[in-house]
Amino acid sequence: MADTLRRLTNTSSFSVLQDKLESWHKDYHVISCDQNLNRCCELIELTAKIQGQLFAILNLTAAEGGHYAGVETLKTRLLPWLGTCFSMAKPSVTDDTSLQLIQDSVEKDRRIRELCASHENDMQKMETQLCSSRLQLDSVRAELVDAHKELDEIKSKSATTLLATEDEILQLKADLRCAHEQVEIYKRKLDALDDYEHQIRLLRDEVSYLSTEKAVLQDRLVRSRSPSPLPRLSSCSSPMRSESPTRAQLTNSSRHARLVSRFSDLYAVERLEAQTLLRRYIADLEMVQKIIFIAVVESCKTAKLAYRQFKLRVKKTLSPSHYGPESLEDAAVDYIVRNLDLYDVQDSVNTVINTMNVNPRISFPPEVDFVLISTLIRETCRVAFAMQTLEPPLDLAFASDGELYNDNKLFDFAAPLVMYHVWPALMEGNAVIVKGEAVTRRGALVIRSQSRSSSPVRSRSLSPTRSLVSLYNI
């Protein structure tokens, strides 16, 4: 009996039972129902084993007390307890086996606890990794949002860059068109330059001939000059013109040809350049052609007035010291021919621009000025000023809107009435040297009054059948 009690004490069965109870109480709300039932059954089995060992000790103790020893105790305590229908079968295993099973159970419980602790550690690690993964996922999502924003910004910038590129392409196309127009203008100028070189060769030949003629005339003048003062006085007092030609008279034919050619070049070169410049601001071709025509007419008028004033100043300057064989008129013209660069052409250009600013027949955008065509005005003034030095002088033909078509002054008969003029005809006295250009139509002319504004109101005829005459001079 003492050995059995010692083994029971060494196995600490009640301590194991207490530990299992505490472990079950701790995990009761965590584990499943089947696990709870298994724990309870395990405790019942362990309790039954301990009770079996206690009953074995009870038998051994009663046997040691003799036949009647312990009877009172068994009657008062054991039998009433058994009366409650509790019965305990005797274990089918030995005490040693039962103790071994208890130790195995304790070892299993220990391993289970270790496995639970390891599982909890693994769960904590997995939760930590899960939190870290969630943080990384949030970071990746934030980076993805930023990437989407950057992509949207790049798309918007690309769209803006594409629009800017299209604008640059349109601007380059416009510049290319202007460059082509400039090339055409330069080609026409090159053709005109070839004509100038041909004229220069002719003029050189004429100068050589005139130099020879001048030498002959000077020789005759020396031989015919008398030492007597009487003929000198009579020649000075005679109102007749001298038979000795001046430089202006000697070069009259060559200057005539050169100025007629220059007038044609104004139509072919400077007029087209001015028309190209004006078309950038005025879409109406009719208004552009009217502006150019009026500019040419006003330039000729201003140049003629400037020539008369300049010749009066020259005559006034030369009259006190003039004693030459030629008349004062011829001397003044000869001086002007020799000094055409003294003509203040810029003053005439300013006068023409001021006159056009108040002309009611034309309109012009207010954001620009007639200075835009100052090159055409300047060259026309120079040509018109030099034309006044010819004998007889060249002048522009009178032109009026609505006049009857004149085949002598204009190209190609198209309609009986002139709607508006494009280029004036060049006259020498009553003879037409270079024909002009006009736009004609059939029907009555409607007189139109236009103000200088960016959007002029124009009236039209009921039957505006138009026809444009030829664009080339002869």
Side-chain angles (χ1 to χ4, degrees):
M1 186 278 297
D3 294 335
T4 302
L5 181 61
R6 184 175 61 253
R7 287 195 299 270
L8 181 62
T9 305
N10 292 333
T11 56
S12 302
S13 300
F14 288 99
S15 300
V16 172
L17 181 62
Q18 181 65 29
D19 293 337
K20 286 182 175 293
L21 284 173
E22 292 178 356
S23 175
W24 184 26
H25 179 267
K26 185 188 298 182
D27 298 335
Y28 182 80
H29 296 286
V30 177
I31 60 179
S32 63
C33 178
D34 292 338
Q35 291 175 341
N36 285 326
L37 292 176
N38 289 328
R39 292 281 185 92
C40 183
C41 290
E42 184 180 359
L43 291 175
I44 291 172
E45 291 175 356
L46 183 59
T47 303
K49 292 177 181 179
I50 296 173
Q51 287 179 352
Q53 293 178 4
L54 290 175
F55 273 108
I57 294 172
L58 179 64
N59 290 330
L60 292 175
T61 303
E64 291 176 356
H67 186 70
Y68 297 102
V71 174
E72 186 66 25
T73 303
L74 294 175
K75 289 180 179 181
T76 57
R77 298 194 62 178
L78 179 61
L79 292 177
W81 180 68
L82 292 175
T84 59
C85 300
F86 178 80
S87 63
M88 180 65 185
K90 184 177 180 180
S92 60
V93 295
T94 62
D95 295 336
D96 295 336
T97 304
S98 178
L99 292 175
Q100 184 65 35
L101 291 175
I102 292 173
Q103 290 177 353
D104 293 340
S105 177
V106 171
E107 183 66 21
K108 289 180 180 180
D109 290 339
R110 184 182 62 78
R111 291 180 180 178
I112 290 174
R113 286 195 296 272
E114 291 178 355
L115 291 174
C116 289
S118 176
H119 178 70
E120 290 179 356
N121 292 331
D122 293 339
M123 289 293 294
Q124 290 179 355
K125 290 180 180 180
M126 292 181 65
E127 288 179 357
T128 304
Q129 293 178 357
L130 181 61
C131 293
S132 177
S133 300
R134 286 177 179 175
L135 293 176
Q136 291 179 358
L137 180 61
D138 294 337
S139 177
V140 171
R141 287 178 179 174
E143 292 178 357
L144 182 61
V145 172
D146 295 337
H148 280 298
K149 291 182 179 178
E150 292 179 359
L151 182 61
D152 294 337
E153 292 177 357
I154 292 173
K155 287 182 179 179
S156 61
K157 291 180 180 179
S158 300
T160 306
T161 305
L162 181 61
L163 293 176
T165 305
E166 291 178 354
D167 294 338
E168 292 177 357
I169 291 174
L170 294 176
Q171 182 64 33
L172 289 175
K173 288 182 178 179
D175 295 340
L176 182 60
R177 287 195 298 269
C178 294
H180 284 308
E181 293 175 357
Q182 292 291 333
V183 168
E184 294 297 329
I185 292 172
Y186 289 147
K187 287 182 179 178
R188 289 193 293 268
K189 287 185 177 181
L190 184 60
D191 295 337
L193 183 60
D194 294 337
D195 295 337
Y196 290 155
E197 291 178 352
H198 178 68
Q199 293 177 9
I200 288 172
R201 288 193 296 270
L202 295 178
L203 290 175
R204 286 176 179 174
D205 296 338
E206 186 176 356
V207 168
S208 178
Y209 171 76
L210 292 175
S211 298
T212 305
E213 187 177 357
K214 178 181 179 182
V216 173
L217 292 175
Q218 287 178 349
D219 188 31
R220 289 179 183 177
L221 181 62
V222 170
R223 288 198 303 267
S224 64
R225 185 172 293 174
S226 173
S228 175
L230 293 177
R232 181 178 179 86
L233 293 174
S234 62
S235 64
C236 293
S237 61
S238 175
M240 300 296 292
R241 295 181 60 180
S242 172
E243 295 181 357
S244 300
T246 62
R247 182 178 185 276
Q249 295 169 350
L250 291 174
T251 60
N252 187 75
S253 60
S254 61
R255 289 187 295 109
H256 181 279
R258 185 172 69 255
L259 290 174
V260 171
S261 176
R262 184 71 184 99
F263 183 78
S264 299
D265 292 339
L266 286 177
Y267 173 84
V269 180
E270 279 79 4
R271 181 187 71 88
L272 294 180
E273 291 178 354
Q275 181 172 308
T276 301
L277 291 174
L278 290 176
R279 286 302 298 273
R280 296 178 182 177
Y281 304 95
I282 304 176
D284 188 2
L285 178 61
E286 175 184 340
M287 181 54 59
V288 170
Q289 292 176 340
K290 284 185 176 182
I291 290 174
I292 293 175
F293 176 78
I294 292 175
V296 172
V297 173
E298 293 295 336
S299 299
C300 290
K301 290 180 180 179
T302 304
K304 287 169 62 177
L305 179 60
Y307 174 79
R308 289 195 294 268
Q309 296 174 352
F310 188 73
K311 188 168 70 172
L312 288 176
R313 292 197 299 270
V314 171
K315 291 171 67 175
K316 184 178 180 180
T317 303
L318 295 179
S319 60
S321 59
H322 177 67
Y323 296 106
E326 72 279 1
S327 64
L328 181 60
E329 183 76 15
D330 293 339
V333 174
D334 188 67
Y335 177 83
I336 294 174
V337 171
R338 294 173 182 270
N339 300 276
L340 287 176
D341 55 337
L342 297 179
Y343 167 46
D344 188 4
V345 66
Q346 186 60 42
D347 182 68
S348 297
V349 171
N350 296 335
T351 303
V352 172
I353 292 176
N354 293 333
T355 303
M356 294 181 67
N357 285 332
V358 296
N359 194 317
R361 296 174 55 201
I362 57 178
S363 63
F364 205 66
E367 61 271 10
V368 291
D369 198 270
F370 288 111
V371 178
L372 192 67
I373 57 173
S374 59
T375 301
L376 173 66
I377 297 173
R378 181 180 293 102
E379 295 302 319
T380 305
C381 288
R382 286 176 177 172
V383 173
F385 186 87
M387 286 179 179
Q388 305 308 307
T389 63
L390 299 176
E391 183 62 34
L394 299 180
D395 198 0
L396 300 182
F398 176 77
S400 175
D401 294 346
E403 66 178 346
L404 290 176
Y405 178 84
N406 187 347
D407 188 46
N408 294 327
K409 295 193 298 181
L410 302 174
F411 279 107
D412 298 337
F413 178 84
L417 295 178
V418 175
M419 185 176 181
Y420 66 89
H421 290 269
V422 177
W423 191 257
L426 186 63
M427 305 286 292
E428 184 178 11
N430 294 326
V432 177
I433 305 301
V434 179
K435 286 186 178 182
E437 180 185 335
V439 176
T440 60
R441 74 173 181 187
R442 300 182 184 276
L445 176 70
V446 178
I447 303 300
R448 294 174 290 183
S449 176
Q450 299 170 344
S451 60
R452 191 171 186 269
S453 62
S454 58
S455 59
V457 180
R458 299 187 176 95
S459 59
R460 302 184 181 271
S461 61
L462 297 177
S463 177
T465 305
R466 304 181 184 178
S467 61
L468 182 65
V469 297
S470 176
L471 297 177
Y472 301 94
N473 292 328
I474 57 173

PDB file of all heavy atoms in Angstrom, residues 333-347:
ATOM      1  N   VAL A 333      15.809 123.359-115.673  1.00  0.00           N
ATOM      2  CA  VAL A 333      15.504 121.951-115.939  1.00  0.00           C
ATOM      3  C   VAL A 333      16.783 121.131-115.977  1.00  0.00           C
ATOM      4  O   VAL A 333      16.844 120.004-115.444  1.00  0.00           O
ATOM      5  CB  VAL A 333      14.725 121.818-117.259  1.00  0.00           C
ATOM      6  CG1 VAL A 333      14.532 120.340-117.618  1.00  0.00           C
ATOM      7  CG2 VAL A 333      13.370 122.498-117.149  1.00  0.00           C
ATOM      8  N   ASP A 334      17.823 121.686-116.595  1.00  0.00           N
ATOM      9  CA  ASP A 334      19.089 120.960-116.659  1.00  0.00           C
ATOM     10  C   ASP A 334      19.676 120.741-115.258  1.00  0.00           C
ATOM     11  O   ASP A 334      20.220 119.677-114.952  1.00  0.00           O
ATOM     12  CB  ASP A 334      20.072 121.747-117.530  1.00  0.00           C
ATOM     13  CG  ASP A 334      21.337 120.949-117.797  1.00  0.00           C
ATOM     14  OD1 ASP A 334      21.258 119.917-118.494  1.00  0.00           O
ATOM     15  OD2 ASP A 334      22.398 121.328-117.273  1.00  0.00           O
ATOM     16  N   TYR A 335      19.545 121.737-114.396  1.00  0.00           N
ATOM     17  CA  TYR A 335      20.028 121.604-113.018  1.00  0.00           C
ATOM     18  C   TYR A 335      19.247 120.514-112.280  1.00  0.00           C
ATOM     19  O   TYR A 335      19.826 119.702-111.541  1.00  0.00           O
ATOM     20  CB  TYR A 335      19.888 122.939-112.291  1.00  0.00           C
ATOM     21  CG  TYR A 335      20.296 122.875-110.838  1.00  0.00           C
ATOM     22  CD1 TYR A 335      21.630 122.988-110.467  1.00  0.00           C
ATOM     23  CD2 TYR A 335      19.336 122.683-109.840  1.00  0.00           C
ATOM     24  CE1 TYR A 335      22.006 122.914-109.128  1.00  0.00           C
ATOM     25  CE2 TYR A 335      19.704 122.616-108.501  1.00  0.00           C
ATOM     26  CZ  TYR A 335      21.044 122.735-108.157  1.00  0.00           C
ATOM     27  OH  TYR A 335      21.402 122.653-106.842  1.00  0.00           O
ATOM     28  N   ILE A 336      17.925 120.482-112.496  1.00  0.00           N
ATOM     29  CA  ILE A 336      17.110 119.470-111.803  1.00  0.00           C
ATOM     30  C   ILE A 336      17.474 118.070-112.277  1.00  0.00           C
ATOM     31  O   ILE A 336      17.560 117.124-111.486  1.00  0.00           O
ATOM     32  CB  ILE A 336      15.615 119.763-112.033  1.00  0.00           C
ATOM     33  CG1 ILE A 336      15.223 121.089-111.368  1.00  0.00           C
ATOM     34  CG2 ILE A 336      14.753 118.628-111.478  1.00  0.00           C
ATOM     35  CD1 ILE A 336      13.807 121.528-111.652  1.00  0.00           C
ATOM     36  N   VAL A 337      17.716 117.937-113.626  1.00  0.00           N
ATOM     37  CA  VAL A 337      18.089 116.626-114.160  1.00  0.00           C
ATOM     38  C   VAL A 337      19.409 116.158-113.562  1.00  0.00           C
ATOM     39  O   VAL A 337      19.591 114.978-113.246  1.00  0.00           O
ATOM     40  CB  VAL A 337      18.170 116.683-115.694  1.00  0.00           C
ATOM     41  CG1 VAL A 337      18.769 115.389-116.253  1.00  0.00           C
ATOM     42  CG2 VAL A 337      16.789 116.909-116.274  1.00  0.00           C
ATOM     43  N   ARG A 338      20.337 117.082-113.365  1.00  0.00           N
ATOM     44  CA  ARG A 338      21.634 116.716-112.809  1.00  0.00           C
ATOM     45  C   ARG A 338      21.567 116.428-111.306  1.00  0.00           C
ATOM     46  O   ARG A 338      22.450 115.763-110.752  1.00  0.00           O
ATOM     47  CB  ARG A 338      22.642 117.846-113.041  1.00  0.00           C
ATOM     48  CG  ARG A 338      22.982 118.077-114.511  1.00  0.00           C
ATOM     49  CD  ARG A 338      23.841 119.318-114.650  1.00  0.00           C
ATOM     50  NE  ARG A 338      24.151 119.621-116.042  1.00  0.00           N
ATOM     51  CZ  ARG A 338      25.218 119.152-116.694  1.00  0.00           C
ATOM     52  NH1 ARG A 338      26.065 118.363-116.063  1.00  0.00           N
ATOM     53  NH2 ARG A 338      25.422 119.456-117.958  1.00  0.00           N
ATOM     54  N   ASN A 339      20.553 116.944-110.633  1.00  0.00           N
ATOM     55  CA  ASN A 339      20.479 116.828-109.162  1.00  0.00           C
ATOM     56  C   ASN A 339      19.118 116.290-108.718  1.00  0.00           C
ATOM     57  O   ASN A 339      18.450 116.872-107.850  1.00  0.00           O
ATOM     58  CB  ASN A 339      20.738 118.186-108.509  1.00  0.00           C
ATOM     59  CG  ASN A 339      22.102 118.736-108.855  1.00  0.00           C
ATOM     60  OD1 ASN A 339      23.104 118.407-108.246  1.00  0.00           O
ATOM     61  ND2 ASN A 339      22.151 119.595-109.870  1.00  0.00           N
ATOM     62  N   LEU A 340      18.683 115.204-109.311  1.00  0.00           N
ATOM     63  CA  LEU A 340      17.402 114.607-108.912  1.00  0.00           C
ATOM     64  C   LEU A 340      17.432 114.102-107.467  1.00  0.00           C
ATOM     65  O   LEU A 340      16.383 113.951-106.837  1.00  0.00           O
ATOM     66  CB  LEU A 340      17.064 113.438-109.841  1.00  0.00           C
ATOM     67  CG  LEU A 340      16.623 113.808-111.262  1.00  0.00           C
ATOM     68  CD1 LEU A 340      16.426 112.550-112.091  1.00  0.00           C
ATOM     69  CD2 LEU A 340      15.339 114.626-111.247  1.00  0.00           C
ATOM     70  N   ASP A 341      18.635 113.835-106.946  1.00  0.00           N
ATOM     71  CA  ASP A 341      18.711 113.340-105.564  1.00  0.00           C
ATOM     72  C   ASP A 341      18.380 114.416-104.536  1.00  0.00           C
ATOM     73  O   ASP A 341      18.202 114.113-103.353  1.00  0.00           O
ATOM     74  CB  ASP A 341      20.100 112.779-105.289  1.00  0.00           C
ATOM     75  CG  ASP A 341      21.202 113.789-105.590  1.00  0.00           C
ATOM     76  OD1 ASP A 341      20.957 114.721-106.385  1.00  0.00           O
ATOM     77  OD2 ASP A 341      22.302 113.642-105.022  1.00  0.00           O
ATOM     78  N   LEU A 342      18.296 115.698-104.960  1.00  0.00           N
ATOM     79  CA  LEU A 342      17.911 116.766-104.033  1.00  0.00           C
ATOM     80  C   LEU A 342      16.404 116.799-103.773  1.00  0.00           C
ATOM     81  O   LEU A 342      15.944 117.542-102.895  1.00  0.00           O
ATOM     82  CB  LEU A 342      18.365 118.128-104.580  1.00  0.00           C
ATOM     83  CG  LEU A 342      19.883 118.315-104.726  1.00  0.00           C
ATOM     84  CD1 LEU A 342      20.192 119.700-105.301  1.00  0.00           C
ATOM     85  CD2 LEU A 342      20.580 118.129-103.392  1.00  0.00           C
ATOM     86  N   TYR A 343      15.655 116.011-104.514  1.00  0.00           N
ATOM     87  CA  TYR A 343      14.201 115.976-104.337  1.00  0.00           C
ATOM     88  C   TYR A 343      13.887 115.317-102.992  1.00  0.00           C
ATOM     89  O   TYR A 343      14.320 114.200-102.703  1.00  0.00           O
ATOM     90  CB  TYR A 343      13.572 115.205-105.495  1.00  0.00           C
ATOM     91  CG  TYR A 343      12.128 114.828-105.296  1.00  0.00           C
ATOM     92  CD1 TYR A 343      11.182 115.740-104.816  1.00  0.00           C
ATOM     93  CD2 TYR A 343      11.688 113.530-105.593  1.00  0.00           C
ATOM     94  CE1 TYR A 343       9.865 115.389-104.640  1.00  0.00           C
ATOM     95  CE2 TYR A 343      10.369 113.168-105.429  1.00  0.00           C
ATOM     96  CZ  TYR A 343       9.461 114.092-104.944  1.00  0.00           C
ATOM     97  OH  TYR A 343       8.144 113.731-104.772  1.00  0.00           O
ATOM     98  N   ASP A 344      13.114 116.020-102.163  1.00  0.00           N
ATOM     99  CA  ASP A 344      12.727 115.522-100.840  1.00  0.00           C
ATOM    100  C   ASP A 344      11.541 114.569-101.013  1.00  0.00           C
ATOM    101  O   ASP A 344      10.380 114.948-100.833  1.00  0.00           O
ATOM    102  CB  ASP A 344      12.372 116.691 -99.917  1.00  0.00           C
ATOM    103  CG  ASP A 344      12.153 116.223 -98.472  1.00  0.00           C
ATOM    104  OD1 ASP A 344      12.352 115.016 -98.197  1.00  0.00           O
ATOM    105  OD2 ASP A 344      11.778 117.062 -97.634  1.00  0.00           O
ATOM    106  N   VAL A 345      11.857 113.320-101.336  1.00  0.00           N
ATOM    107  CA  VAL A 345      10.790 112.372-101.631  1.00  0.00           C
ATOM    108  C   VAL A 345      10.022 111.967-100.369  1.00  0.00           C
ATOM    109  O   VAL A 345       8.823 111.673-100.429  1.00  0.00           O
ATOM    110  CB  VAL A 345      11.382 111.139-102.339  1.00  0.00           C
ATOM    111  CG1 VAL A 345      12.304 110.375-101.409  1.00  0.00           C
ATOM    112  CG2 VAL A 345      10.282 110.213-102.840  1.00  0.00           C
ATOM    113  N   GLN A 346      10.674 111.996 -99.212  1.00  0.00           N
ATOM    114  CA  GLN A 346       9.989 111.595 -97.982  1.00  0.00           C
ATOM    115  C   GLN A 346       8.871 112.565 -97.639  1.00  0.00           C
ATOM    116  O   GLN A 346       7.809 112.155 -97.151  1.00  0.00           O
ATOM    117  CB  GLN A 346      10.990 111.497 -96.829  1.00  0.00           C
ATOM    118  CG  GLN A 346      10.402 110.943 -95.537  1.00  0.00           C
ATOM    119  CD  GLN A 346       9.844 109.553 -95.699  1.00  0.00           C
ATOM    120  OE1 GLN A 346      10.446 108.709 -96.343  1.00  0.00           O
ATOM    121  NE2 GLN A 346       8.669 109.305 -95.120  1.00  0.00           N
ATOM    122  N   ASP A 347       9.083 113.851 -97.910  1.00  0.00           N
ATOM    123  CA  ASP A 347       8.021 114.826 -97.662  1.00  0.00           C
ATOM    124  C   ASP A 347       6.811 114.529 -98.547  1.00  0.00           C
ATOM    125  O   ASP A 347       5.663 114.642 -98.095  1.00  0.00           O
ATOM    126  CB  ASP A 347       8.558 116.238 -97.926  1.00  0.00           C
ATOM    127  CG  ASP A 347       7.513 117.305 -97.636  1.00  0.00           C
ATOM    128  OD1 ASP A 347       7.156 117.478 -96.449  1.00  0.00           O
ATOM    129  OD2 ASP A 347       7.037 117.940 -98.598  1.00  0.00           O
TER     130      ASP A 347
END
